[in-house]
Structures are given as structure tokens and as C-alpha cells.
Amino acid sequence: MIEARRLHILRAVADHRTVTAAAAALYLTPSAVSQQLTALEQETGHRLVERGAKGVRLTPAGEILLAHTNLVLAQLERAEAELAAYDSGAAGTVTVAAFATGIALVVAPALARLAETAPGIRVRVQDAEGDASLPMVLDRQVDVAVAVEYRGAPPADDPRLTHVPLYAEPFDAVVPVAHRLADAHEVPLAELAKDAWIGPYPGNPCHEVVVLACENAGFRPRLEHSSDDFRAVVALASADAGVALVPRSALRGMELTGVVVRPVDGVAPTRRVFAAVRRGAEEHPLIRPVLEALGTAAQA
């Protein structure tokens, strides 16, 4: 008989590629993870992982078991949801990880709505970028992630997750007031190929959006300054340190002295925001109202 907790460990190892990283995500010791993998191999009668200098990879037998693992764990999430519904599920805590602008735009309004519609649900919020929040959901550190689509992110049909689209917003060009394109109605990205750029660090989903937009315009941006805080990005642009692309919602209420904000000419780069939960958990009586409240806030 295969134990479900060992399937959790197998998936964490597959996700994180090393025993040490999987152990840290699961709050276990590396030796405990190794012991559980060995026990799982004994239970199945197959070698499931291969260890190398660059980490751990699954064997063909491990890949077969992983495919079943995603289905089994999703079904267990559904079982927990139904049992919680049987017990009414009217009160409890849901943990949400979201990036800063997402917290301001949809999470905070969702909390206000839940206080009226589901007062028994307590929501705990953690500030985390999209590339961090999705692994937090998979590792069961949080229940819901508000994240951004980016290259390398789990796709919408990922068997481990359920995606709920929330909103999409364009990036606008932010240039110093003395910039040669400051008077343009729209800014062609190709015209910024030789400029210094300011933007988020690699790994931040917005970094990927900016780089991909510039690549589509025929160049790779020369990032001279890096910050994940868009207020800092705008402040540097106002000091004539470079140009930037910033999500439109991040500019709301921001001091824009020293810069001008212009739409991007043509197809604007877009930030697509979604909520994600472990597949099967979307019907949990505590999680479902949170997803509905996030959707309502996004529509507003």
C-alpha cells in the first residue's frame, strides 16, 4: 500500500529537483526525505529517482508514479473539501500569497467583501511574487496564490493546480520628462533599444514580461538598474536614470513628477493575473468563497 504522504514527498522532489530543496519546502530534514523516498521505492518495487551531480531526476517509473500522484493528491483535496462541507466549513483560516499590487487591487477588496459575506473565514495574507507563490501553494505553505503568467510558470492545464483568471492589464512606458519621446502620444518600444532600462530582477514575472516585449520589438533591454518596487523604478526614471515599463495599476496614486507615462505603440505587453489553488481544493467551503471574492474584486 502506497502512503499518500510519500507521494507528497515524491512530487516535492520532482518540483524542486534536489532533496535538500524539497526537504526545506516540506519542513523536513534531507535524511527524512531520503528515507521516505527509499520506503516509497520499496512499496512500489521500482527505482523512482536517480541522484546526480546536478540534483535528482525521476526515473521512467518515477514519472509514471508522478502522473498518478497528481491525480491522487487532487482527489484527496476534493475529499477534504467534501468532508469540510459536510461539517459546514463555515469558519476557518485561508492563507493567500500575492504580489504587492495584487494585494492592493484584489486581495484587500476581497477581504472587505468576505467580512460581510463570510465572516467566519479568516484570511491571512503574505506578500510574495508570482514565481514564489505558486511553489508555496504546491508545497502546502499557503492555500491560494495570486500570481502572474510568465515564461516557465505552470500552465493553466497543469494537473497539480486549478487556475482562476482574475484580470489583465497593460504595461505603460515610463520615460523622463526630458526624454526625446516624452511628447509622443504612444511610445514604440523599438525606439528605446539604445536606452538604459530600469526594471524588476530576473525571476520576477514582470521582468519576463518586459524582456519578452522588448525581444518582440527586436532587442534585449540593457537593464542598468533593478528593483522589484515600482515606486523605486519610477523614482529612478524621474532622475533620468533610464526608461521602464510598468503595469498600469502599479502607477495608481504614485508621484509621477519628473516622468511622463505613455501607452506602448502597437500591442502592449500585458500582465495576466490569476488565482491558483491545488487541484481539487477549489470546491473547499473555505477556499471557494475566497476565490469568488477575488473574482468579484477583479471585475470591479
Side-chain angles (χ1 to χ4, degrees), residues 30-56:
S31 62
V33 169
S34 295
Q35 290 170 8
Q36 293 299 318
L37 286 175
T38 299
L40 185 59
E41 289 178 329
Q42 292 172 348
E43 287 173 345
T44 61
H46 292 277
R47 187 179 181 186
L48 302 175
V49 298
E50 292 180 346
R51 294 172 174 80
K54 296 184 178 180
V56 175

PDB file of all heavy atoms in Angstrom, residues 30-56:
ATOM      1  N   PRO A  30      16.725  16.585   5.131  1.00  0.00           N
ATOM      2  CA  PRO A  30      17.052  15.827   3.914  1.00  0.00           C
ATOM      3  C   PRO A  30      17.085  14.320   4.147  1.00  0.00           C
ATOM      4  O   PRO A  30      16.667  13.548   3.282  1.00  0.00           O
ATOM      5  CB  PRO A  30      18.424  16.382   3.524  1.00  0.00           C
ATOM      6  CG  PRO A  30      18.435  17.774   4.070  1.00  0.00           C
ATOM      7  CD  PRO A  30      17.692  17.682   5.369  1.00  0.00           C
ATOM      8  N   SER A  31      17.581  13.913   5.318  1.00  0.00           N
ATOM      9  CA  SER A  31      17.633  12.480   5.593  1.00  0.00           C
ATOM     10  C   SER A  31      16.228  11.890   5.678  1.00  0.00           C
ATOM     11  O   SER A  31      15.989  10.759   5.228  1.00  0.00           O
ATOM     12  CB  SER A  31      18.406  12.207   6.884  1.00  0.00           C
ATOM     13  OG  SER A  31      17.767  12.820   8.000  1.00  0.00           O
ATOM     14  N   ALA A  32      15.273  12.649   6.251  1.00  0.00           N
ATOM     15  CA  ALA A  32      13.899  12.161   6.339  1.00  0.00           C
ATOM     16  C   ALA A  32      13.291  12.008   4.949  1.00  0.00           C
ATOM     17  O   ALA A  32      12.583  11.031   4.676  1.00  0.00           O
ATOM     18  CB  ALA A  32      13.054  13.104   7.189  1.00  0.00           C
ATOM     19  N   VAL A  33      13.572  12.969   4.053  1.00  0.00           N
ATOM     20  CA  VAL A  33      13.070  12.871   2.691  1.00  0.00           C
ATOM     21  C   VAL A  33      13.662  11.653   1.991  1.00  0.00           C
ATOM     22  O   VAL A  33      12.961  10.884   1.330  1.00  0.00           O
ATOM     23  CB  VAL A  33      13.390  14.161   1.907  1.00  0.00           C
ATOM     24  CG1 VAL A  33      13.127  13.969   0.416  1.00  0.00           C
ATOM     25  CG2 VAL A  33      12.552  15.318   2.446  1.00  0.00           C
ATOM     26  N   SER A  34      14.967  11.453   2.149  1.00  0.00           N
ATOM     27  CA  SER A  34      15.619  10.302   1.525  1.00  0.00           C
ATOM     28  C   SER A  34      15.044   8.995   2.045  1.00  0.00           C
ATOM     29  O   SER A  34      14.816   8.045   1.283  1.00  0.00           O
ATOM     30  CB  SER A  34      17.129  10.351   1.776  1.00  0.00           C
ATOM     31  OG  SER A  34      17.718  11.469   1.134  1.00  0.00           O
ATOM     32  N   GLN A  35      14.780   8.933   3.344  1.00  0.00           N
ATOM     33  CA  GLN A  35      14.209   7.721   3.931  1.00  0.00           C
ATOM     34  C   GLN A  35      12.822   7.437   3.372  1.00  0.00           C
ATOM     35  O   GLN A  35      12.475   6.294   3.068  1.00  0.00           O
ATOM     36  CB  GLN A  35      14.151   7.863   5.455  1.00  0.00           C
ATOM     37  CG  GLN A  35      15.513   7.829   6.131  1.00  0.00           C
ATOM     38  CD  GLN A  35      15.446   8.209   7.607  1.00  0.00           C
ATOM     39  OE1 GLN A  35      14.355   8.359   8.171  1.00  0.00           O
ATOM     40  NE2 GLN A  35      16.599   8.377   8.226  1.00  0.00           N
ATOM     41  N   GLN A  36      12.021   8.492   3.215  1.00  0.00           N
ATOM     42  CA  GLN A  36      10.669   8.302   2.692  1.00  0.00           C
ATOM     43  C   GLN A  36      10.704   7.884   1.216  1.00  0.00           C
ATOM     44  O   GLN A  36       9.877   7.081   0.772  1.00  0.00           O
ATOM     45  CB  GLN A  36       9.847   9.591   2.855  1.00  0.00           C
ATOM     46  CG  GLN A  36       9.550   9.948   4.308  1.00  0.00           C
ATOM     47  CD  GLN A  36       8.739   8.873   5.004  1.00  0.00           C
ATOM     48  OE1 GLN A  36       7.797   8.320   4.441  1.00  0.00           O
ATOM     49  NE2 GLN A  36       9.106   8.569   6.241  1.00  0.00           N
ATOM     50  N   LEU A  37      11.644   8.432   0.452  1.00  0.00           N
ATOM     51  CA  LEU A  37      11.780   8.011  -0.946  1.00  0.00           C
ATOM     52  C   LEU A  37      12.184   6.543  -1.035  1.00  0.00           C
ATOM     53  O   LEU A  37      11.671   5.788  -1.871  1.00  0.00           O
ATOM     54  CB  LEU A  37      12.819   8.880  -1.655  1.00  0.00           C
ATOM     55  CG  LEU A  37      12.403  10.306  -2.012  1.00  0.00           C
ATOM     56  CD1 LEU A  37      13.582  11.060  -2.602  1.00  0.00           C
ATOM     57  CD2 LEU A  37      11.240  10.311  -2.981  1.00  0.00           C
ATOM     58  N   THR A  38      13.108   6.140  -0.158  1.00  0.00           N
ATOM     59  CA  THR A  38      13.516   4.730  -0.135  1.00  0.00           C
ATOM     60  C   THR A  38      12.337   3.835   0.210  1.00  0.00           C
ATOM     61  O   THR A  38      12.135   2.777  -0.414  1.00  0.00           O
ATOM     62  CB  THR A  38      14.654   4.528   0.876  1.00  0.00           C
ATOM     63  OG1 THR A  38      15.782   5.321   0.486  1.00  0.00           O
ATOM     64  CG2 THR A  38      15.066   3.060   0.948  1.00  0.00           C
ATOM     65  N   ALA A  39      11.536   4.248   1.205  1.00  0.00           N
ATOM     66  CA  ALA A  39      10.362   3.464   1.592  1.00  0.00           C
ATOM     67  C   ALA A  39       9.356   3.381   0.450  1.00  0.00           C
ATOM     68  O   ALA A  39       8.737   2.342   0.218  1.00  0.00           O
ATOM     69  CB  ALA A  39       9.713   4.077   2.828  1.00  0.00           C
ATOM     70  N   LEU A  40       9.197   4.501  -0.302  1.00  0.00           N
ATOM     71  CA  LEU A  40       8.275   4.515  -1.430  1.00  0.00           C
ATOM     72  C   LEU A  40       8.755   3.567  -2.526  1.00  0.00           C
ATOM     73  O   LEU A  40       7.954   2.868  -3.163  1.00  0.00           O
ATOM     74  CB  LEU A  40       8.123   5.937  -1.967  1.00  0.00           C
ATOM     75  CG  LEU A  40       7.106   6.159  -3.088  1.00  0.00           C
ATOM     76  CD1 LEU A  40       5.711   5.740  -2.652  1.00  0.00           C
ATOM     77  CD2 LEU A  40       7.110   7.629  -3.524  1.00  0.00           C
ATOM     78  N   GLU A  41      10.067   3.532  -2.752  1.00  0.00           N
ATOM     79  CA  GLU A  41      10.615   2.609  -3.734  1.00  0.00           C
ATOM     80  C   GLU A  41      10.386   1.162  -3.316  1.00  0.00           C
ATOM     81  O   GLU A  41      10.092   0.288  -4.148  1.00  0.00           O
ATOM     82  CB  GLU A  41      12.105   2.887  -3.937  1.00  0.00           C
ATOM     83  CG  GLU A  41      12.371   4.209  -4.680  1.00  0.00           C
ATOM     84  CD  GLU A  41      13.844   4.514  -4.855  1.00  0.00           C
ATOM     85  OE1 GLU A  41      14.641   4.115  -3.974  1.00  0.00           O
ATOM     86  OE2 GLU A  41      14.195   5.150  -5.871  1.00  0.00           O
ATOM     87  N   GLN A  42      10.489   0.907  -2.021  1.00  0.00           N
ATOM     88  CA  GLN A  42      10.225  -0.441  -1.527  1.00  0.00           C
ATOM     89  C   GLN A  42       8.751  -0.807  -1.678  1.00  0.00           C
ATOM     90  O   GLN A  42       8.409  -1.936  -2.038  1.00  0.00           O
ATOM     91  CB  GLN A  42      10.651  -0.553  -0.063  1.00  0.00           C
ATOM     92  CG  GLN A  42      12.164  -0.462   0.140  1.00  0.00           C
ATOM     93  CD  GLN A  42      12.559  -0.386   1.601  1.00  0.00           C
ATOM     94  OE1 GLN A  42      11.707  -0.172   2.489  1.00  0.00           O
ATOM     95  NE2 GLN A  42      13.849  -0.562   1.882  1.00  0.00           N
ATOM     96  N   GLU A  43       7.875   0.175  -1.444  1.00  0.00           N
ATOM     97  CA  GLU A  43       6.434  -0.070  -1.578  1.00  0.00           C
ATOM     98  C   GLU A  43       6.048  -0.378  -3.026  1.00  0.00           C
ATOM     99  O   GLU A  43       5.181  -1.210  -3.290  1.00  0.00           O
ATOM    100  CB  GLU A  43       5.642   1.141  -1.088  1.00  0.00           C
ATOM    101  CG  GLU A  43       5.651   1.319   0.423  1.00  0.00           C
ATOM    102  CD  GLU A  43       4.994   2.612   0.855  1.00  0.00           C
ATOM    103  OE1 GLU A  43       4.780   3.493   0.003  1.00  0.00           O
ATOM    104  OE2 GLU A  43       4.699   2.748   2.057  1.00  0.00           O
ATOM    105  N   THR A  44       6.674   0.334  -3.958  1.00  0.00           N
ATOM    106  CA  THR A  44       6.309   0.169  -5.363  1.00  0.00           C
ATOM    107  C   THR A  44       7.100  -0.930  -6.061  1.00  0.00           C
ATOM    108  O   THR A  44       6.693  -1.425  -7.110  1.00  0.00           O
ATOM    109  CB  THR A  44       6.521   1.484  -6.131  1.00  0.00           C
ATOM    110  OG1 THR A  44       7.915   1.848  -6.066  1.00  0.00           O
ATOM    111  CG2 THR A  44       5.668   2.599  -5.541  1.00  0.00           C
ATOM    112  N   GLY A  45       8.263  -1.263  -5.495  1.00  0.00           N
ATOM    113  CA  GLY A  45       9.120  -2.258  -6.147  1.00  0.00           C
ATOM    114  C   GLY A  45       9.869  -1.711  -7.337  1.00  0.00           C
ATOM    115  O   GLY A  45      10.334  -2.470  -8.188  1.00  0.00           O
ATOM    116  N   HIS A  46      10.002  -0.371  -7.406  1.00  0.00           N
ATOM    117  CA  HIS A  46      10.692   0.260  -8.525  1.00  0.00           C
ATOM    118  C   HIS A  46      11.636   1.346  -8.028  1.00  0.00           C
ATOM    119  O   HIS A  46      11.350   2.030  -7.030  1.00  0.00           O
ATOM    120  CB  HIS A  46       9.697   0.891  -9.507  1.00  0.00           C
ATOM    121  CG  HIS A  46       8.872  -0.104 -10.251  1.00  0.00           C
ATOM    122  ND1 HIS A  46       9.314  -0.746 -11.384  1.00  0.00           N
ATOM    123  CD2 HIS A  46       7.621  -0.577 -10.003  1.00  0.00           C
ATOM    124  CE1 HIS A  46       8.384  -1.564 -11.819  1.00  0.00           C
ATOM    125  NE2 HIS A  46       7.342  -1.487 -11.004  1.00  0.00           N
ATOM    126  N   ARG A  47      12.721   1.525  -8.759  1.00  0.00           N
ATOM    127  CA  ARG A  47      13.583   2.666  -8.507  1.00  0.00           C
ATOM    128  C   ARG A  47      12.910   3.900  -9.085  1.00  0.00           C
ATOM    129  O   ARG A  47      12.551   3.915 -10.272  1.00  0.00           O
ATOM    130  CB  ARG A  47      14.948   2.454  -9.155  1.00  0.00           C
ATOM    131  CG  ARG A  47      15.967   3.532  -8.791  1.00  0.00           C
ATOM    132  CD  ARG A  47      17.300   3.230  -9.443  1.00  0.00           C
ATOM    133  NE  ARG A  47      18.294   4.230  -9.104  1.00  0.00           N
ATOM    134  CZ  ARG A  47      19.508   4.273  -9.632  1.00  0.00           C
ATOM    135  NH1 ARG A  47      19.865   3.361 -10.531  1.00  0.00           N
ATOM    136  NH2 ARG A  47      20.353   5.217  -9.282  1.00  0.00           N
ATOM    137  N   LEU A  48      12.715   4.915  -8.267  1.00  0.00           N
ATOM    138  CA  LEU A  48      11.914   6.073  -8.674  1.00  0.00           C
ATOM    139  C   LEU A  48      12.749   7.315  -8.959  1.00  0.00           C
ATOM    140  O   LEU A  48      12.310   8.186  -9.714  1.00  0.00           O
ATOM    141  CB  LEU A  48      10.881   6.396  -7.584  1.00  0.00           C
ATOM    142  CG  LEU A  48       9.910   5.257  -7.237  1.00  0.00           C
ATOM    143  CD1 LEU A  48       9.027   5.658  -6.076  1.00  0.00           C
ATOM    144  CD2 LEU A  48       9.065   4.879  -8.454  1.00  0.00           C
ATOM    145  N   VAL A  49      13.922   7.438  -8.333  1.00  0.00           N
ATOM    146  CA  VAL A  49      14.748   8.633  -8.519  1.00  0.00           C
ATOM    147  C   VAL A  49      16.182   8.236  -8.793  1.00  0.00           C
ATOM    148  O   VAL A  49      16.647   7.167  -8.380  1.00  0.00           O
ATOM    149  CB  VAL A  49      14.700   9.569  -7.282  1.00  0.00           C
ATOM    150  CG1 VAL A  49      13.286  10.069  -7.034  1.00  0.00           C
ATOM    151  CG2 VAL A  49      15.235   8.872  -6.042  1.00  0.00           C
ATOM    152  N   GLU A  50      16.861   9.110  -9.503  1.00  0.00           N
ATOM    153  CA  GLU A  50      18.288   8.954  -9.749  1.00  0.00           C
ATOM    154  C   GLU A  50      18.986  10.213  -9.273  1.00  0.00           C
ATOM    155  O   GLU A  50      18.566  11.326  -9.606  1.00  0.00           O
ATOM    156  CB  GLU A  50      18.571   8.725 -11.238  1.00  0.00           C
ATOM    157  CG  GLU A  50      18.063   7.389 -11.754  1.00  0.00           C
ATOM    158  CD  GLU A  50      18.367   7.192 -13.230  1.00  0.00           C
ATOM    159  OE1 GLU A  50      18.729   8.193 -13.893  1.00  0.00           O
ATOM    160  OE2 GLU A  50      18.229   6.058 -13.706  1.00  0.00           O
ATOM    161  N   ARG A  51      20.035  10.045  -8.496  1.00  0.00           N
ATOM    162  CA  ARG A  51      20.776  11.180  -7.951  1.00  0.00           C
ATOM    163  C   ARG A  51      22.024  11.421  -8.789  1.00  0.00           C
ATOM    164  O   ARG A  51      22.737  10.488  -9.132  1.00  0.00           O
ATOM    165  CB  ARG A  51      21.140  10.929  -6.490  1.00  0.00           C
ATOM    166  CG  ARG A  51      19.939  10.870  -5.565  1.00  0.00           C
ATOM    167  CD  ARG A  51      20.337  10.430  -4.160  1.00  0.00           C
ATOM    168  NE  ARG A  51      19.232  10.506  -3.225  1.00  0.00           N
ATOM    169  CZ  ARG A  51      18.277   9.597  -3.117  1.00  0.00           C
ATOM    170  NH1 ARG A  51      18.301   8.529  -3.906  1.00  0.00           N
ATOM    171  NH2 ARG A  51      17.315   9.730  -2.237  1.00  0.00           N
ATOM    172  N   GLY A  52      22.261  12.694  -9.096  1.00  0.00           N
ATOM    173  CA  GLY A  52      23.433  13.069  -9.871  1.00  0.00           C
ATOM    174  C   GLY A  52      24.061  14.322  -9.319  1.00  0.00           C
ATOM    175  O   GLY A  52      23.595  14.899  -8.326  1.00  0.00           O
ATOM    176  N   ALA A  53      25.114  14.773  -9.985  1.00  0.00           N
ATOM    177  CA  ALA A  53      25.832  15.968  -9.524  1.00  0.00           C
ATOM    178  C   ALA A  53      24.953  17.206  -9.577  1.00  0.00           C
ATOM    179  O   ALA A  53      25.132  18.142  -8.794  1.00  0.00           O
ATOM    180  CB  ALA A  53      27.083  16.175 -10.371  1.00  0.00           C
ATOM    181  N   LYS A  54      23.978  17.245 -10.490  1.00  0.00           N
ATOM    182  CA  LYS A  54      23.121  18.413 -10.644  1.00  0.00           C
ATOM    183  C   LYS A  54      21.795  18.281  -9.911  1.00  0.00           C
ATOM    184  O   LYS A  54      20.903  19.112 -10.075  1.00  0.00           O
ATOM    185  CB  LYS A  54      22.875  18.676 -12.127  1.00  0.00           C
ATOM    186  CG  LYS A  54      24.138  19.044 -12.898  1.00  0.00           C
ATOM    187  CD  LYS A  54      23.819  19.381 -14.338  1.00  0.00           C
ATOM    188  CE  LYS A  54      25.084  19.797 -15.088  1.00  0.00           C
ATOM    189  NZ  LYS A  54      24.807  20.146 -16.503  1.00  0.00           N
ATOM    190  N   GLY A  55      21.649  17.216  -9.119  1.00  0.00           N
ATOM    191  CA  GLY A  55      20.415  17.073  -8.355  1.00  0.00           C
ATOM    192  C   GLY A  55      19.776  15.719  -8.573  1.00  0.00           C
ATOM    193  O   GLY A  55      20.451  14.734  -8.864  1.00  0.00           O
ATOM    194  N   VAL A  56      18.445  15.693  -8.460  1.00  0.00           N
ATOM    195  CA  VAL A  56      17.690  14.456  -8.536  1.00  0.00           C
ATOM    196  C   VAL A  56      16.743  14.520  -9.725  1.00  0.00           C
ATOM    197  O   VAL A  56      16.127  15.553  -9.985  1.00  0.00           O
ATOM    198  CB  VAL A  56      16.872  14.238  -7.237  1.00  0.00           C
ATOM    199  CG1 VAL A  56      15.993  13.004  -7.348  1.00  0.00           C
ATOM    200  CG2 VAL A  56      17.807  14.102  -6.043  1.00  0.00           C
TER     201      VAL A  56
END
